[in-house]
Every structure is written in C-alpha cells, then in structure tokens.
Amino acid sequence: MTTDQLSLPEWVEAEGVVAGQHWIQVPRERIRETLTHLKSQGFGSFCMMTAVDHLVTPVAEPGPERFELVYQLRNMSTHTEVRIRVFVPESDPAVPSVHDIFGPANWDERETWDMFGISFGDHPDLTRILMPEDWVGHPLRRDFPVGGEPVDFSEDHETWQTAPEEA
Amino acid sequence: MGVEQLYDLLGENVLTTTIGKLVGWGRANSVWPAQFGLACCAIEMMHTVAPGMDIARFGSEAFRASPRQSDLMIVAGRVSQKMAPVLRQIYDQMPEPKWVISMGACASTGGVFNNYAILQGVDKVVPVDVYVPGCPPRPEDLINALMILQEKIKAQGIKPLI
Amino acid sequence: MNPPEEDQAPNVASQGVTLVRESASPRDHLGGEILTVNFGPQHPSTHGVLRLIVDLDGERVMGVKPVIGYLHTGIEKQMEALRWQQGVVCTDRHDYLSPPINNLAYALAVEQLLGIEAPPRAKVLRVIMSELTRISSHLVWFATSGLELGCQGIFFYCMRERDFILGMNEEISGYRMHTSYIRPGGVMADATPRFLDMLADLIEKMPGHIDEYEDLLTHNPIWIARTKNIGRLPAELAVELGASGPVLRAAGVAWDLRKDRPYSGYEEYDFDVVTAQDADCYARYLVRVGELRQSVRILAQALKKLPGGPFNVDDRKVLPPPREELETSMEAVIHHFKLFTEGYSPPAGDIYQAVESGRGENGCYIVSDGTHKPRRVHFRSASFVHLQALERMAMRQMVADLIAIIGTADTVLGDVDR
C-alpha cells in the first residue's frame, strides 16, 4: 500500500518507507496540526500511539533525541496507513495532547505518561493508568530495571541437594 | 482451663475422633470456591466447571461470587502489584476455615513473568495449601489439586485452623 | 463526574400517566444525590479484573470510569529482555482467549522486518489456527455473556465445543491454550492426520451446534429484552472512538482486516463480512453468531486447499535445522548454536502489523535496533480502545444493562493491561 497521493505539509522534517509502511517525521510543536491535516485528508481512524526509548547502548545507534513518539493513522476508504514520528528530548519530555482530535489517544497518552514519563499538555486526566498511583518511576524506560527475582538454582544451595542414597 | 486443654483431655475419646472425621468429611466434600479468576488460568478453571470435567462432582457445586460465602480461594492467574492488596483483602474477608490453591505457574512463582509488575508467587501475600504447576494447568490438574486438598482437609478434622 | 444534563421524558409518560413535571428526574422531586458505587476488581461479571467507578442516579448510570491496571504484567518490558524467537511465548498471554492470533501479528511483523515469507502450507495452517481460535474465543463470549444475563445453559453447550477445539490445539501443538504455534518463519509443527480428521469433524458438526445456540438465544424474549436497544454505539461515534471488530460491524461499518488489509493469504478465501444495523448489544450478538458461521466456511475452504510442502521457511539464519542434520553437517551445528545462544537480528526498523482477532484490531508494533533483542514491542489492543468507549455506550442506561454492555464489548483484561 503506498501513499503517493498523500499531500504532506511543509513542516515535515523527514519521510521514508520501511517494508512498505510509510512514515513521516514532524517537530513536536506541529503534531496537532499534522494530525488535523491528515484527518482532513481522510486518515480518520486512529490505530495506536506509543513511545520508544532510544537510550544509547553500546550496540544500538542513537536516535536524534531520547524519546520517539509514534502515531499510526489509517484511511479506511483507501486502506492505507501512515506513521507519524515525533522526537522528544529527555530534558523536556512534553508534547501537546491530541485527545480532542482523536478520541482513542486519551488513554494511549495516559499509558505513555505512566510508562515513559512523557507529559501531554492539556490532557484532562494525566494520571497513572497501569501501575498503582503511588508507583515511583516509569517502567518502560530503558534504564528502569526489568525487576523480578533472581532464579534460585539448587546447585547454589547445599542444603537443597538430596543425598545420593535418598534420591 | 481452655478449650485446647479440653481437646487434649478428650483426645483419646473415640467419640471425638469420629466427630472429627465426620466434620472433616463434610468440609472436604463441600468446598465452595470463591470466584477469583484473574487471567488465562481462569479460563481453564471455567473448563473444570464445564460438563467435560465437572468439578461439581467433587463438591464444588457453586463458585460463590462473594468471599464471605466461600471456603476456598483458587488464585487462578497472575497477580500484579495493583492487585496484591485486593487479593489480601478478599482472603481476609473469607471466614474460617479457609484454604488457598495457587493455580498455575504465575500464581505459584511468578511464572513466565519475572519482572517488576508481577508478584513472584502469591505465597508472599496469602498462605497457600496446594500449588498447581502449569501454564495453564489442565482442568484435570486443578481437580487433582482439589483432591489433594480434600485429603488435607479430612486429615485436619475438627481442629480450627489458626 | 459531569452533572446530569436535561433528562429525557421517562418512559412512563408514554403509557398515559401524567407527571407532576415534564422532563423531571426522580431526583428532582424526591431529593437524593448521585451515588458512587465501586464495581471492585473482584466481580463475577466484569470479565476479568476490571474496576468500574459508577455514578448512579437511582438505577440510572450517570458516569462510568474504568480503572484498569490490575492485570498489568509488564509483557512489553519482558519482551525487551527476551530474544526475538523467545518473545512468541509472551505474545500468547496478553489476549489469552486468542493466543494464535497474537502470535500471528508478532510473526508477521518480524517476518516483514527480516524480509522472509512463510511457505504456502504454513499460511493455510495459520489461517486454520486463527479461525479455530476465533470460534473458541466467540464460544467463551457466548458462554460468559449468557451466564451473566441469566442463561446458564449456554455455558455448558459452548464449553463442550471449546473443549473439542482445545483438544485440537493439543493435537497440533501439545498445548491446550497457549500454543505458541505460529512463529516467525512458519509454524511450530505440521498438522497430524488426526488433527485433520478432527477438523473435518468440527466443520461437519459446528453448524448444527451454532443452530443450538441460536435456538437458545436469538428469539428468546428475555435475551432480546436485555440486549435490544441497549448500549448503542452508532457508526460515526464508533469510528471516532476507534472501535473495531464486532463492535464496529454491528454499527453497519463493513470493516474487517481480513478483507481490507489481508494477511496470510486471506484474500484467497471466500467469506462474508457480517454486519448488523442497530449498533446495540443484540446486533453485536448477531454479528458474532454470523462470524461463527463464516469461520466454519473459511475452515472448510482451508482444509480443502491445504497444500503440501514445508511448514517452515527454509532459512537457517531464522529457524533451526532439523535435528537429523546435526549429526552430519557442521554448518547445521553452527546455525543451531547461533540461533539458540544469540538468536537472529532483524535489520533496524519498525513495523506495525494489525490482525483481526475476536475482539477487533489487535496489532503488534515492533522496533528493531539491529540486535538480537527487540528495542520495543507494543501491542495495540482492541479491548483497551473499547473500554474507553464504555462510558458513551452506557450513559443513562440501567446499572444492570452495564453488565450487558461490558459483556458485548468483549474485553479481555489481559489485553487491556498487558
């Protein structure tokens, strides 16, 4: 599915295609205008919104900023989709909210706040949605540990081993 | 002179032993679980109620919605950080005598999910009587666990569980 | 919560009874206040650990606030700590009523990044497993919705069929529920002859069973009274709120990802997209019954056209070689070792793949940074979106109707909370 007929606004910073999927990159101040523009072009269905943490690791290439917000829109009459990427710096993780343009973005933004700590201006209820209200930290950031318990193996515990006669 | 001393005095009395056996038999064969299905294991728990496996044959005729009317809590599924206080509250609301079956790998030890979000075993929050491994365990596994629990209940007899 | 706006005239006026004041809510002349009630996370009818904070004016719902997160499992974080092929195990467990369909979304996304395609036999086997799962997921829906609204009998009928389908799952993959059957590159194992016999048996007997369910519910006056005109979500509102699946099709919008964005060979099958016009709970029930029949139709076609050939792509960089080769070929041993210690590394990029599950659009968004573990895996959940629409569907209905509405939205809390 190609989006050749898509007319892009002039503030689009970059665009590309990955495995047949079209994406555009816009500055974060223009996200509301971008989504409104695309909605007027027929992309009226909101598929999903999420964030990616590009924390630098020894093996991975760094992104332009630490956080990348990804919005996926669909045009139900031409059956095409487009992905909008917005890069958000770590020092000021704030983006305008789009919940009034696309209804499903409401809870997606709450989840992104909960999991990544990216705040959305003008969101009516920016509170934790998946973690308990008093949780500290944003779990899906790459520097938040996976957590859990170390797995205990019986070879590390002498008293757990059964003697050969009892086995 | 307390009830415990009375029990010990009457301990050799054959009549008390028979009443103990009767009470144990009665409790074991009418264990009513509370509906505490959390995740995927809950679906297999629904299959034990279904006609193929039919847990009602073993006395668990009614899965009570209210914990106040049930004796057994089958923790079927993974317990998250937000759910753990709720789990404890439901357990506390059950009247004595009560038992807990921890169904599935997630409830017993955290299962596949060794991470920040899942309690690594519900025995951190409630005392467990029988653990059932599996992801999810077959309905026959759950019925087997119930049968093991029934033996345990019969062995406990008349003594209150503190 | 918002204060109630001007009330419509209560139904009693149409029966010829004159009221003291027109458009008066009982609260206006009886006094009283809005009561906030908690449908706690442990509740028999909330389809999982969903908490609802409901504002009631008598029996009328004035506001519903779902509180979720009681089943948050950290699946997305867990998958960042697992290798690409190990992540399939986690995809089973978020929407636990349709594991193979979740596997399929993930597998298709990874395959697109890797630039490989599953062989034809694998595609047909994937369609067979997806449709079997759709049937078993809808059967759970019938069973639990019927149970909540008082029809206890249908639970037993549906579970009987579902046991048979889980037996088929066990035959083909060894697991009843979380099969992890569909993997990037193909499927886990070939269909055994016994599986194909069971499938033929199901195709023959299922239409009769669906007739049984319809006998119990479709013209049942109690069922109709409890689901007709309840929880309406008209088409424009449904599209605006991001609804998909039966919730959207019951409003008359003929959108089905299997037809409109086909994957895994669905364009080669002949089936109808079932829609209804009323957009209420009864319409969603009819859509699901229709989908059961269409799934059986697809299964019959898939069984007939099942081609021979391999069930896995023949790429040793992605899938391990057959075990017999390890005795003779050094290359096979190296591939095996590399795959099971490090795993494959798709090139950097991101893919969003959506598939049609029993609930609606379930999507998988993966981001690869070129290493053997994902940078990010996100699941787009249809239930998450439908729960947001709950308040619009339930406004001003009776509190008992709230149960029917949550039921017909068919939310699976594992999918909502991930």
Side-chain angles (χ1 to χ4, degrees):
Chain A
M1 303 284 171
T2 57
T3 46
D4 291 328
Q5 293 82 27
L6 185 64
S7 87
L8 296 174
E10 68 277 1
W11 57 77
V12 166
E13 292 172 340
E15 60 170 310
V17 177
V18 171
Q21 303 194 355
H22 196 115
W23 61 265
I24 62 175
Q25 181 186 325
V26 298
R28 60 173 160 158
E29 310 81 46
R30 300 289 210 156
I31 184 63
R32 286 182 60 90
E33 290 108 312
T34 312
L35 291 183
T36 318
H37 174 90
L38 287 168
K39 192 171 179 183
S40 65
Q41 296 230 307
F43 286 87
S45 174
F46 189 83
C47 291
M48 65 123 192
M49 188 270 261
T50 186
V52 185
D53 183 353
H54 289 289
L55 187 67
V56 178
T57 64
V59 289
E61 293 288 317
E65 299 283 2
R66 177 162 175 197
F67 294 115
E68 177 190 344
L69 276 179
V70 179
Y71 300 75
Q72 180 97 1
L73 296 184
R74 177 183 290 137
N75 186 330
M76 280 168 71
S77 24
T78 63
H79 302 177
T80 49
E81 293 176 12
V82 68
R83 199 172 306 137
I84 300 109
R85 309 160 77 138
V86 172
F87 282 93
V88 178
E90 182 178 353
S91 50
D92 173 33
V95 175
S97 168
V98 298
H99 74 277
D100 47 343
I101 309 174
F102 286 106
N106 191 323
W107 275 18
D108 275 334
E109 289 177 351
R110 274 182 76 185
E111 186 186 332
T112 310
W113 155 249
D114 192 0
M115 294 284 121
F116 286 92
I118 299 172
S119 63
F120 294 87
D122 296 336
H123 192 278
D125 180 25
L126 200 68
T127 52
R128 288 197 181 266
I129 190 171
L130 293 178
M131 302 307 296
E133 280 94 24
D134 53 357
W135 190 262
V136 173
H138 298 282
L140 274 174
R141 291 191 174 193
R142 297 289 284 202
D143 45 5
F144 190 94
V146 177
E149 283 181 347
V151 181
D152 266 329
F153 290 98
S154 56
E155 34 212 41
D156 303 326
H157 297 260
E158 270 184 37
T159 49
W160 289 9
Q161 317 241 6
T162 49
E165 312 89 73
E166 294 164 22
Chain B
M1 175 133 140
V3 181
E4 289 83 18
Q5 287 164 315
L6 200 59
Y7 269 136
D8 293 321
L9 270 181
L10 296 173
E12 281 92 66
N13 188 318
V14 171
L15 189 61
T16 310
T17 319
T18 312
I19 287 185
K21 274 202 189 137
L22 185 68
V23 170
W25 172 87
R27 281 183 184 152
N29 288 315
S30 67
V31 179
W32 284 4
Q35 284 176 12
F36 208 74
L38 298 168
C40 350
C41 284
I43 312 296
E44 289 291 44
M45 194 163 71
M46 279 158 58
H47 276 277
T48 60
V49 179
M53 317 290 169
D54 199 12
I55 204 174
R57 293 180 282 165
F58 296 89
S60 302
E61 174 64 42
F63 272 64
R64 309 306 299 174
S66 164
R68 306 241 184 237
Q69 299 166 2
S70 53
D71 342 72
L72 170 67
M73 184 163 75
I74 304 179
V75 185
R78 44 197 190 246
V79 180
S80 71
Q81 301 289 344
K82 218 167 166 177
M83 193 64 192
V86 179
L87 173 73
R88 180 72 212 186
Q89 192 178 13
I90 301 286
Y91 178 76
D92 288 337
Q93 285 176 347
M94 287 166 67
E96 294 281 352
K98 56 190 172 188
W99 301 275
V100 175
I101 289 181
S102 155
M103 177 183 179
C106 290
S108 307
T109 60
V112 190
F113 306 109
N114 190 3
N115 60 29
Y116 64 91
I118 292 292
L119 213 59
Q120 301 295 305
V122 302
D123 47 8
K124 298 197 190 304
V125 171
V126 295
V128 175
D129 293 287
V130 184
Y131 297 86
V132 192
C135 192
R138 294 181 62 101
E140 290 100 323
D141 285 335
L142 183 61
I143 295 180
N144 187 30
L146 182 65
M147 290 169 73
I148 294 173
L149 184 68
Q150 284 178 336
E151 297 306 314
K152 188 171 179 178
I153 296 173
K154 282 185 199 151
Q156 277 171 346
I158 202 171
K159 274 251 192 250
L161 302 141
I162 304 282
Chain C
M1 286 282 133
N2 300 328
E5 296 127 39
E6 187 139 323
D7 230 336
Q8 302 149 353
N11 288 332
V12 78
S14 61
Q15 294 164 21
V17 176
T18 29
L19 293 176
V20 174
R21 270 171 291 172
E22 283 226 15
S23 72
S25 121
R27 197 165 63 84
D28 284 344
H29 58 271
L30 289 176
E33 55 186 30
I34 302 267
L35 185 68
T36 304
V37 169
N38 180 50
F39 269 63
Q42 192 259 350
H43 192 276
S45 298
T46 50
H47 282 267
V49 281
L50 171 67
R51 182 173 170 217
L52 297 169
I53 300 177
V54 185
D55 292 330
L56 293 175
D57 173 16
E59 286 257 342
R60 212 88 74 84
V61 171
M62 288 299 164
V64 178
K65 184 173 169 221
V67 179
I68 60 173
Y70 289 94
L71 201 57
H72 177 62
T73 317
I75 286 186
E76 300 180 352
K77 184 90 182 174
Q78 186 77 50
M79 286 180 79
E80 290 175 18
L82 296 174
R83 297 193 280 276
W84 288 97
Q85 65 260 44
Q86 290 175 323
V88 180
V89 164
C90 282
T91 60
D92 277 322
R93 287 156 171 85
H94 66 92
D95 178 359
Y96 41 80
L97 287 181
S98 35
I101 296 181
N102 306 337
N103 292 157
L104 183 57
Y106 179 72
L108 287 172
V110 174
E111 283 169 5
Q112 284 180 61
L113 265 187
L114 285 170
I116 59 177
E117 203 182 321
R121 186 174 174 86
K123 283 190 178 165
V124 179
L125 284 173
R126 285 175 170 185
V127 167
I128 290 176
M129 286 305 282
S130 294
E131 293 309 313
L132 278 178
T133 310
R134 194 182 317 278
I135 293 176
S136 73
S137 160
H138 282 336
L139 286 176
V140 173
W141 180 80
F142 281 116
T144 50
S145 288
L147 202 60
E148 283 156 17
L149 297 185
C151 176
Q152 216 169 25
I154 193 158
F155 177 81
F156 300 117
Y157 286 116
C158 292
M159 284 299 167
R160 175 190 61 187
E161 265 69 81
R162 189 158 194 266
D163 256 329
F164 185 74
I165 295 178
L166 293 185
M168 289 173 71
N169 276 357
E170 196 182 7
E171 175 65 31
I172 201 172
S173 70
Y175 295 91
R176 280 166 59 100
M177 272 178 71
H178 298 311
T179 55
S180 301
Y181 180 69
I182 299 174
R183 304 176 174 189
V187 293
M188 169 181 163
D190 207 354
T192 58
R194 183 163 172 252
F195 176 82
L196 297 172
D197 288 337
M198 289 171 90
L199 182 59
D201 199 18
L202 181 83
I203 292 169
E204 192 190 314
K205 299 223 177 87
M206 198 68 197
H209 290 310
I210 302 175
D211 290 335
E212 270 177 12
Y213 313 145
E214 287 220 77
D215 278 341
L216 273 176
L217 290 181
T218 305
H219 300 291
N220 187 327
I222 302 176
W223 181 257
I224 293 176
R226 288 219 59 186
T227 52
K228 246 199 187 308
N229 294 323
I230 305 290
R232 309 193 93 238
L233 193 69
E236 310 81 45
L237 198 55
V239 172
E240 196 187 301
L241 291 173
S244 51
V247 176
L248 185 62
R249 291 196 279 277
V253 181
W255 176 261
D256 187 330
L257 282 169
R258 296 173 290 169
K259 278 260 196 246
D260 298 310
R261 301 273 286 155
Y263 50 91
S264 192
Y266 266 109
E267 59 271 10
E268 297 159 19
Y269 297 90
D270 179 32
F271 64 98
D272 300 323
V273 175
V274 184
T275 57
Q277 296 309 314
D278 291 328
D280 56 8
C281 292
Y282 189 68
R284 287 176 216 132
Y285 157 76
L286 288 176
V287 167
R288 288 192 176 100
V289 172
E291 282 185 8
L292 277 185
R293 296 196 194 277
Q294 295 303 316
S295 286
V296 176
R297 213 171 135 192
I298 298 176
L299 281 174
Q301 292 169 47
L303 182 60
K304 241 191 277 232
K305 72 184 275 203
L306 184 65
F311 56 89
N312 265 328
V313 74
D314 188 23
D315 186 346
R316 298 303 163 78
K317 303 258 183 301
V318 173
L319 288 170
R323 290 204 71 92
E324 309 82 58
E325 267 190 43
L326 294 178
E327 292 166 15
T328 49
S329 159
M330 188 61 202
E331 238 182 54
V333 172
I334 296 173
H335 280 134
H336 188 271
F337 178 78
K338 198 93 202 302
L339 277 173
F340 284 106
T341 51
E342 190 189 314
Y344 49 79
S345 307
D350 56 345
I351 296 281
Y352 175 70
Q353 173 69 41
V355 298
E356 182 80 22
S357 86
R359 257 127 244 110
E361 177 182 340
N362 263 18
C364 183
Y365 175 67
I366 56 173
V367 179
S368 166
D369 50 8
T371 60
H372 58 281
K373 293 188 179 177
R375 169 136 298 236
R376 175 91 173 98
V377 179
H378 174 69
F379 295 105
R380 190 267 189 202
S381 151
S383 309
F384 190 74
V385 175
H386 292 160
L387 266 189
Q388 291 182 65
L390 184 66
E391 191 166 11
R392 306 292 277 274
M393 285 198 270
M395 189 58 83
R396 291 177 200 289
Q397 316 259 321
M398 300 291 193
V399 75
D401 297 329
L402 185 62
I403 302 298
I405 295 167
I406 301 172
T408 54
D410 199 6
T411 51
V412 168
L413 265 299
D415 205 13
V416 172
D417 291 339
R418 279 160 278 125

